[in-house]
Amino acid sequence: MVRRITIQDIANIAGVSKSTVSRAMNDNPVISKTTRNQIQQIIKEYNYHPNSSAKSIKTKQTMVIGIIIPSFDNPFFAKILDVIQNKATNKQYQLMIATTHEKGELELNAIRQMINQPVDGLIVVSTGKINDYHQLLNNTPVVFIDRIANQRENHEFDTILVDNINGSFNVVNQMIENGAERIGIIANSLFKKKSNRLIGYQKALQKNNVELDPDIILYCSRNGRDAISLASQLLINQACDGIFATDSNILKSVLKQIEVHQMDNVQVGAFDDNPYLSLLNLNVIANQQPSNAMGSKAFELLMDQIHNPQHDVQHIKLKTSLKHYH
Amino acid sequence: MVRRITIQDIANIAGVSKSTVSRAMNDNPVISKTTRNQIQQIIKEYNYHPNSSAKSIKTKQTMVIGIIIPSFDNPFFAKILDVIQNKATNKQYQLMIATTHEKGELELNAIRQMINQPVDGLIVVSTGKINDYHQLLNNTPVVFIDRIANQRENHEFDTILVDNINGSFNVVNQMIENGAERIGIIANSLFKKKSNRLIGYQKALQKNNVELDPDIILYCSRNGRDAISLASQLLINQACDGIFATDSNILKSVLKQIEVHQMDNVQVGAFDDNPYLSLLNLNVIANQQPSNAMGSKAFELLMDQIHNPQHDVQHIKLKTSLKHYH
DNA sequence: TTGAAAGCGCTAACAA
DNA sequence: TTGTTAGCGCTTTCAA
């Protein structure tokens, strides 16, 4: 780090004390107009900008918030980042961002480093692999988005979720109404223990008196690379006339296989929208995620936690909406 | 910010001085094994983690690097972020990220705040609207990627570019070889002054003795919303049998129009790849950008600037590669 | 309206 | 091997 001009330098140049310079910068009313102007003149002239780190150890706030997401290449999270960034900029907050790639170790590490920074608060998409956030976070304000922290500690933290059960229900229900009779599902094994999207799928079948067939409920690996062969399996071996893809990664594989096998009449249901779907000429029912609301609400809750001492824990569930592509 | 346990607290508990605790943490060899173990025991027990801000004002390094990009929703930048994040994590660096949406004011603001933080270095995709980076950066290490800082100061800074001229040349040349006879281009007006992608286009026409027709060289607005009507214009009014889209946003509009007008035999050339292209059944020649190399090289250059005092300014140009979709 | 001085949490030179 | 001390760049009480 290059030696930079400090408040003391400015004080010397202006022939005043550090305190006075500090006052001139921080809208402190207890200072004469003339000295304030003089000092601000010098500050500009010498291109001086105070060191935020030094400031923060006194003021106990860094104006930085940390964000932990699985990855940058998911449009859903990209949108959320965008929303948060815009709101943060308005309030002079900076964003520190880290990705987990669904690895608990990376999440742990990222949160630790951010806490130590320290950041004023965190917005976290949990990997679901950390079981003591309470100790880890050490009272740092936090909002969990898209997934709960973990079952045990869920009640402790602000959380914003998507209504996955209803969202999935709506998609699959719609597919059935559109005539699909044998709908397979490919879900990510990451959520094998408790996939709400699977539950929604099951509910929709039940409601329509369609029997569950375990042979067409498939799980792909975390990274989704095997989703292609699973899609093939559903299309060819299992003769499905509909497939529900529980995330955009899986969706891509499914669409690819439909194309390869030229089965344009198969219905596809999906979580996550994607701008390219409109170019595809395929029959897709996409569940649009409320990314705007999620990012925006997350930031607001975090601000409230940071600035309002009597903030109550909130659990918010956001609705999705259907979009049809043909 | 909640009152957190400090080095002094640990010192008191352990019955030693702050210095000793500091030594125990920082692998300082001048300390006995027993006290080190004792102290580390206590540190763990009390879940103490040192405050990085406080540390950094002494050590003059924050272990944070700043990244400035146009937006999160561009897959090219998302990929670059991913690469940088991975390398940064390995070296214990944190990432502070801001987006500009191509607005000079936002870039200025973000860089200022990051410099003040301070960050140890910056990786910047310039909006092209700042004309005194030298003064702004104040000797902070920086690597410009994807675009130069500005003409005047270009020689001062490490820069990593994509070979846009050759890349575009290759795409358009290929389109001609594939039989296109009237190729229109839609470029972003953001780069109207000097678009290397346009230059590559022109070169390819020249080489193949195709005359330039200004009527089919069009510029869309910054956000690309009018690209759709421009695409229509090229397809219908100008009867183009090929369109070169200079970025992925424009590409989307072009593909959309081709679909709307059912002109599947029109050739499309594009900068930027997109995973969804393979699903499209359209004739697209995509220029794949070297995002991996760019992110990786950017981080390495930055590290060198930070740690190697005799670092020389470097200008790197990366090659693209063609990919065909039918 | 100003300055002196203490202190935020940490590191590092120096002394012991 | 350890502690004392000074100091990083800033804010904030307190006294003038």
Side-chain angles (χ1 to χ4, degrees):
Chain A
M1 217 156 82
V2 179
R3 204 278 185 194
R4 291 232 280 274
I5 187 168
T6 73
I7 193 173
Q8 184 65 69
D9 295 327
I10 298 295
N12 292 148
I13 295 166
V16 298
S17 73
K18 298 189 288 179
S19 337
T20 305
V21 177
S22 178
R23 289 189 190 102
M25 295 189 297
N26 297 321
D27 300 321
N28 190 321
V30 192
I31 186 176
S32 78
K33 274 237 175 303
T34 41
T35 43
R36 153 162 295 147
N37 289 339
Q38 252 177 269
I39 293 174
Q40 284 179 339
Q41 176 59 37
I42 294 176
I43 286 178
K44 205 165 263 173
E45 187 178 337
Y46 285 83
N47 193 26
Y48 165 70
H49 293 279
N51 180 315
S52 302
S53 291
K55 182 171 183 168
S56 76
I57 71 169
K58 278 299 285 186
T59 62
K60 307 287 181 201
Q61 57 168 347
T62 56
M63 299 304 283
V64 176
I65 68 176
I67 315 219
I68 315 257
I69 56 171
S71 69
F72 290 112
D73 64 10
N74 185 324
F76 175 56
F77 295 122
K79 183 67 200 166
I80 288 177
L81 284 182
D82 187 53
V83 175
I84 295 176
Q85 163 83 74
N86 291 151
K87 301 201 79 159
T89 301
N90 280 337
K91 287 207 181 315
Q92 313 264 55
Y93 275 88
Q94 291 298 301
L95 262 39
M96 187 154 277
I97 308 181
T99 55
T100 62
H101 295 283
E102 306 297 359
K103 300 208 181 85
E105 196 195 350
L106 287 181
E107 182 187 358
L108 187 69
N109 200 278
I111 294 184
R112 279 236 174 88
Q113 293 217 41
M114 290 188 181
I115 299 275
N116 300 348
Q117 200 62 32
V119 295
D120 289 345
L122 281 167
I123 294 175
V124 178
V125 178
S126 171
T127 58
K129 284 160 192 151
I130 291 184
N131 37 40
D132 196 349
Y133 278 108
H134 185 92
Q135 140 136 336
L136 177 59
L137 290 167
N138 201 206
N139 290 316
T140 301
V142 67
V143 178
F144 285 92
I145 60 172
D146 196 47
R147 313 173 190 163
I148 64 171
N150 57 50
Q151 287 295 349
R152 187 172 62 77
E153 301 180 293
N154 185 29
H155 65 281
E156 286 188 52
F157 305 113
D158 278 0
T159 308
I160 307 179
L161 302 176
V162 168
D163 188 344
N164 284 308
I165 295 185
N166 271 314
S168 299
F169 175 89
N170 291 338
V171 171
V172 177
N173 191 50
Q174 187 64 246
M175 291 168 77
I176 296 175
E177 284 184 8
N178 291 359
E181 297 188 333
R182 183 167 170 75
I183 303 177
I185 178 173
I186 305 179
N188 194 310
S189 56
L190 190 60
F191 308 107
K192 194 155 190 172
K193 277 178 284 182
K194 192 194 177 218
S195 166
N196 283 332
R197 298 185 185 175
L198 175 61
I199 293 175
Y201 162 86
Q202 291 168 330
K203 281 195 166 183
L205 296 193
Q206 270 160 26
K207 183 212 159 196
N208 291 280
N209 299 315
V210 180
E211 211 172 331
L212 278 179
D213 179 354
D215 290 345
I216 56 177
I217 296 179
L218 304 180
Y219 290 94
C220 68
S221 65
R222 209 156 294 171
N223 56 40
R225 287 215 193 90
D226 54 347
I228 290 196
S229 70
L230 297 183
S232 233
Q233 204 175 314
L234 290 181
L235 289 169
I236 308 301
N237 310 354
Q238 295 293 341
C240 289
D241 60 352
I243 299 185
F244 178 40
T246 56
D247 68 36
S248 56
N249 227 343
I250 297 173
L251 174 63
K252 229 179 301 172
S253 303
V254 169
L255 294 176
K256 184 80 199 162
Q257 283 318 95
I258 287 184
E259 217 216 0
V260 166
H261 299 303
Q262 304 213 348
M263 301 177 79
D264 309 16
N265 48 351
V266 169
Q267 281 192 50
V268 179
F271 235 87
D272 265 4
D273 196 11
N274 186 300
Y276 273 80
L277 285 180
S278 68
L279 302 174
L280 242 44
N281 276 328
L282 290 176
N283 195 351
V284 179
I285 298 175
N287 212 6
Q288 300 194 298
Q289 300 227 52
S291 37
N292 260 298
M294 181 166 282
S296 165
K297 209 69 193 139
F299 187 76
E300 282 162 20
L301 282 187
L302 191 60
M303 285 298 112
D304 195 54
Q305 275 190 62
I306 292 174
H307 300 116
N308 172 9
Q310 57 228 6
H311 173 91
D312 285 327
V313 172
Q314 290 193 45
H315 284 180
I316 296 178
K317 194 162 273 187
L318 300 172
K319 295 245 163 297
T320 58
S321 56
L322 290 187
K323 188 161 177 183
H324 297 243
Y325 295 96
H326 326 269
Chain B
M1 217 156 83
V2 180
R3 203 280 185 194
R4 290 234 280 273
I5 188 169
T6 72
I7 194 172
Q8 183 67 66
D9 296 326
I10 298 295
N12 292 149
I13 294 167
V16 298
S17 73
K18 297 190 287 177
S19 340
T20 306
V21 177
S22 177
R23 289 188 190 103
M25 294 189 296
N26 297 321
D27 300 321
N28 190 320
V30 193
I31 185 177
S32 78
K33 275 238 174 302
T34 40
T35 41
R36 152 162 295 146
N37 290 338
Q38 251 178 270
I39 293 174
Q40 284 181 338
Q41 177 58 37
I42 295 175
I43 286 179
K44 204 165 263 170
E45 187 179 337
Y46 285 82
N47 194 26
Y48 164 70
H49 293 278
N51 180 315
S52 302
S53 291
K55 182 171 184 168
S56 75
I57 70 170
K58 278 298 284 184
T59 61
K60 307 286 180 199
Q61 57 168 348
T62 56
M63 299 305 283
V64 176
I65 67 176
I67 317 223
I68 316 259
I69 56 171
S71 70
F72 289 113
D73 65 8
N74 184 324
F76 175 56
F77 296 122
K79 183 69 199 165
I80 288 176
L81 285 182
D82 187 53
V83 174
I84 296 176
Q85 163 84 73
N86 291 151
K87 301 200 79 158
T89 301
N90 280 337
K91 288 207 182 314
Q92 312 263 58
Y93 275 88
Q94 291 298 301
L95 262 38
M96 187 155 277
I97 308 182
T99 55
T100 62
H101 295 284
E102 307 296 1
K103 300 210 181 83
E105 197 195 348
L106 288 180
E107 182 187 359
L108 186 68
N109 200 277
I111 293 184
R112 278 236 175 87
Q113 293 217 42
M114 290 188 181
I115 298 275
N116 299 347
Q117 200 64 33
V119 296
D120 289 344
L122 281 167
I123 294 175
V124 177
V125 179
S126 172
T127 58
K129 282 158 193 153
I130 291 185
N131 36 40
D132 196 349
Y133 277 110
H134 185 91
Q135 140 136 334
L136 176 60
L137 290 168
N138 202 207
N139 291 315
T140 301
V142 67
V143 178
F144 285 92
I145 61 173
D146 198 45
R147 312 174 191 163
I148 63 170
N150 57 48
Q151 286 295 349
R152 187 172 63 78
E153 302 180 294
N154 186 27
H155 66 282
E156 285 189 51
F157 305 114
D158 279 0
T159 308
I160 308 180
L161 302 176
V162 168
D163 189 343
N164 283 308
I165 295 186
N166 270 313
S168 298
F169 175 89
N170 290 337
V171 171
V172 178
N173 191 50
Q174 187 63 244
M175 291 168 79
I176 297 176
E177 283 184 8
N178 291 359
E181 297 187 335
R182 182 167 170 75
I183 302 176
I185 178 173
I186 304 180
N188 194 311
S189 56
L190 190 61
F191 307 108
K192 196 156 187 171
K193 276 178 285 184
K194 191 189 177 225
S195 166
N196 284 331
R197 297 185 185 174
L198 175 60
I199 293 176
Y201 162 86
Q202 292 168 329
K203 280 196 169 182
L205 296 194
Q206 270 160 25
K207 184 211 158 194
N208 291 279
N209 299 315
V210 179
E211 212 173 331
L212 278 178
D213 179 353
D215 289 347
I216 56 176
I217 297 180
L218 304 180
Y219 291 94
C220 67
S221 65
R222 210 157 291 170
N223 56 40
R225 286 216 192 90
D226 54 347
I228 290 197
S229 70
L230 298 183
S232 234
Q233 202 174 314
L234 290 181
L235 290 169
I236 308 300
N237 309 353
Q238 295 292 341
C240 289
D241 60 352
I243 298 185
F244 179 39
T246 57
D247 69 35
S248 56
N249 229 340
I250 297 173
L251 174 63
K252 230 181 298 171
S253 303
V254 169
L255 294 176
K256 185 80 198 162
Q257 283 318 95
I258 287 184
E259 218 216 357
V260 166
H261 298 302
Q262 305 214 346
M263 302 177 79
D264 309 17
N265 47 350
V266 169
Q267 281 193 50
V268 178
F271 236 87
D272 265 3
D273 197 11
N274 186 301
Y276 273 78
L277 285 180
S278 69
L279 303 174
L280 241 43
N281 274 329
L282 290 177
N283 195 351
V284 179
I285 298 174
N287 213 6
Q288 304 199 325
Q289 300 227 53
S291 37
N292 260 298
M294 182 166 280
S296 164
K297 208 70 192 139
F299 187 77
E300 283 162 19
L301 282 187
L302 191 61
M303 285 298 112
D304 195 55
Q305 274 189 62
I306 292 173
H307 300 116
N308 172 10
Q310 56 228 5
H311 173 90
D312 286 326
V313 172
Q314 291 192 44
H315 284 180
I316 297 179
K317 194 161 272 188
L318 300 172
K319 295 243 163 297
T320 59
S321 56
L322 290 187
K323 187 160 176 184
H324 297 242
Y325 297 95
H326 326 268

